[in-house]
Amino acid sequence: APGLHQPSPWCSDIMGGSRHGQAVGPLMCPGLVILVSPGWSLARPPGSDVSFSSLGRGPRQIFPLISQSRWLVKHGELVEVDMQLVSTLAAKFKLSTKMVYLHLFNDCLLLSRRKETGKFAVFVHAKMPELKVTDLSRKLHGVPGQIFHLQLFASQRLKHQVLLRAQSESEKQRWISAMAPSSPRTDREHVTENADTAQVQCIKAYKAQEPDELTLEKADILGVRTRTSDGWLEGIRLSDGERGWVPRGHVEEITSRGARLRNLRENDRLKLATRKLEEGQA
């Protein structure tokens, strides 16, 4: 690609892309511009739209940003909190803040600074299995707000860590859930009959506004994973195992343990009948 090894920073629009062979639409964040700092380059290998790679020593590893197997899951700006020790005797810290932008793909995370031109200067990245995120809101004294700790590793070695502050509890929990997603198997185990997981039922249809939300139809039943104090919950829909966030005003609690167990048994019965029907048609 022209300009692939230019020494000075340059940028490229990331547009289009697909997810499992289908158009992704707003998930691809059309118009996104990445400003690549010195030591990085953008590349366009066959079969991908845009990628970046390190220009350090050793073999160069192409990292496609948008491809059929990689898509944008979540993006947004959070506050980076820096704690500087000003007194060792009194253990006093000075807090300073600056904004950091996160682009979370299904298998990697980019941290960048937003420029006045609307571009983003990427300063660190890591693959999803090499992220560790910890909720610190109730553990870190002297730091107000919805705080969590993000660590980025490379070959099991810590290469970057940062304290991040969200504007609300739900925003924090949604980022934590997105960066440490559970497997479909774990989700299934979460809503088993033995677990008797808390359940809610949709009383008012809801259309998802963000990629990590669930579209609900009236009477849908969810197994609850996470609740926040500002009116959101993360649930797993029993009928199809889809997981996502919904506003609590659209659901009501199923308080009867017997009703919850009946819902699980009925769900298992329907899945078994569907599986037998599919096997008979095969």
Side-chain angles (χ1 to χ4, degrees):
L4 180 60
H5 300 290
Q6 292 179 3
S8 60
W10 61 289
C11 65
S12 177
D13 292 321
I14 300 177
M15 304 183 68
S18 62
R19 176 177 180 176
H20 301 310
Q22 297 179 353
V24 177
L27 285 183
M28 289 317 356
C29 194
L32 170 63
V33 177
I34 297 290
L35 176 66
V36 184
S37 301
W40 296 87
S41 77
L42 287 178
R44 295 180 182 271
S48 68
D49 294 307
V50 179
S51 67
F52 70 92
S53 60
S54 171
L55 293 181
R57 294 180 179 178
R60 296 177 64 247
Q61 296 183 349
I62 301 299
F63 209 86
L65 287 185
I66 303 297
S67 68
Q68 289 188 347
S69 61
R70 176 172 294 124
W71 59 88
L72 188 62
V73 173
K74 188 175 179 65
H75 64 97
E77 200 164 34
L78 296 173
V79 177
E80 178 182 347
V81 180
D82 184 24
M83 299 177 62
Q84 298 178 348
L85 184 65
V86 296
S87 173
T88 55
L89 296 178
K92 290 185 178 180
F93 292 88
K94 177 183 178 182
L95 299 181
S96 61
T97 61
K98 53 186 173 182
M99 304 306 294
V100 58
Y101 207 96
L102 290 76
H103 290 97
L104 180 66
F105 294 82
N106 62 305
D107 63 346
C108 65
L109 172 69
L110 311 182
L111 299 186
S112 62
R113 308 290 182 197
R114 190 203 290 265
K115 299 299 182 181
E116 295 180 356
T117 57
K119 301 167 185 172
F120 300 89
V122 178
F123 61 89
V124 69
H125 79 283
K127 297 179 181 179
M128 284 288 285
E130 298 181 314
L131 301 179
K132 181 179 180 181
V133 57
T134 308
D135 186 354
L136 293 180
S137 292
R138 298 183 181 180
K139 301 177 183 178
L140 199 61
H141 299 290
V143 182
Q146 299 294 333
I147 303 291
F148 64 96
H149 183 217
L150 174 62
Q151 295 174 294
L152 295 85
F153 293 82
S155 301
Q156 300 183 338
R157 297 182 62 181
L158 180 66
K159 66 176 181 179
H160 189 79
Q161 60 182 329
V162 60
L163 292 178
L164 296 172
R165 182 167 66 202
Q167 294 183 352
S168 64
E169 183 185 1
S170 59
E171 182 184 38
K172 176 191 68 177
Q173 292 297 344
R174 288 166 76 155
W175 272 111
I176 291 174
S177 177
M179 286 190 280
S182 57
S183 67
R185 179 178 178 179
T186 301
D187 288 344
R188 287 194 301 270
E189 293 174 349
H190 188 76
V191 289
T192 61
E193 183 172 336
N194 293 331
D196 189 21
T197 304
Q199 295 176 9
V200 294
Q201 185 169 23
C202 177
I203 57 175
K204 184 169 59 174
Y206 178 71
K207 183 175 178 59
Q209 305 298 309
E210 298 291 340
D212 60 352
E213 296 178 8
L214 270 182
T215 292
L216 294 180
E217 299 294 337
K218 196 171 181 180
D220 279 352
I221 297 174
L222 307 178
V224 179
R225 283 187 57 88
T226 309
R227 303 176 193 263
T228 68
S229 59
D230 55 343
W232 287 84
L233 64 83
E234 183 185 31
I236 303 166
R237 186 162 45 214
L238 266 60
S239 62
D240 58 9
E242 286 293 315
R243 179 167 59 96
W245 290 85
V246 297
R248 283 216 306 257
H250 287 254
V251 299
E252 68 176 5
E253 195 81 18
I254 299 176
T255 57
S256 168
R257 184 176 187 275
R260 294 195 297 268
L261 292 176
R262 284 194 299 272
N263 290 336
L264 292 172
R265 293 184 187 124
E266 178 65 13
N267 185 59
D268 289 341
R269 187 188 68 80
L270 290 174
K271 287 182 178 179
L272 179 60
T274 301
R275 185 160 55 246
K276 288 184 177 179
L277 180 62
E278 291 174 346
E279 291 173 354
Q281 295 175 345

